Amino acid sequence: MNPLLTGRGRTLAQTDPGWSDDAWSLSSDGRKISLPGSNGRQVQILDTQSGEKSGIEPKGWSNVLWTSWAPDNQRLYISGLFGSGLRVALLSLDGRETVLLDVAVGQGDGPQIFTLPLTGAI
């Protein structure tokens, strides 16, 4: 078999083909992948070594749309729908959340926050 066609290893997970290409994130150490969970209210974590899956459900979120690992590989930047607005937060692996930005729907340029990559430490 041609390795370019089959890949180098086992499949860790599959997502809905309609899912946003930039919704997932690989940790800087390459050990974990984060992505919004299938129920929308959860962040799914995949261990690239073992293939184990776990989830974090931040309280009060109706839809997590985007995830990105913080440089320490222990926290995630997440954004999505919270209550009647939009939220960006820093989420620890034990579920503790630090709100970075809340935008009420209809105010300012809220929906654009989902397309801006967050980089560096806050």
Side-chain angles (χ1 to χ4, degrees):
M1 295 185 116
N2 184 338
L4 295 176
L5 298 176
T6 60
R8 294 186 185 174
R10 69 191 191 290
T11 299
L12 293 176
Q14 293 182 331
T15 63
D16 179 346
W19 199 253
S20 174
D21 291 343
D22 61 356
W24 65 275
S25 177
L26 178 66
S27 62
S28 63
D29 62 8
R31 293 176 182 225
K32 295 185 192 268
I33 296 171
S34 67
L35 66 154
S38 59
N39 73 3
R41 294 180 309 274
Q42 188 179 62
V43 175
Q44 189 173 23
I45 308 292
L46 304 172
D47 185 300
T48 60
Q49 307 294 310
S50 68
E52 287 184 33
K53 297 176 189 177
S54 61
I56 306 168
E57 191 163 325
K59 294 182 185 199
W61 287 69
S62 55
N63 201 357
V64 176
L65 298 172
W66 177 83
T67 70
S68 182
W69 286 96
D72 65 7
N73 298 317
Q74 299 301 309
R75 298 174 296 166
L76 294 157
Y77 295 104
I78 62 173
S79 65
L81 304 176
F82 184 89
S84 62
L86 308 170
R87 175 173 279 185
V88 176
L90 190 59
L91 181 68
S92 66
L93 296 179
D94 64 4
R96 288 180 291 151
E97 178 184 333
T98 302
V99 176
L100 302 175
L101 177 67
D102 272 327
V103 178
V105 173
Q107 290 185 358
D109 294 327
Q112 294 178 7
I113 63 174
F114 302 114
T115 62
L116 298 175
L118 293 173
T119 58
I122 291 182

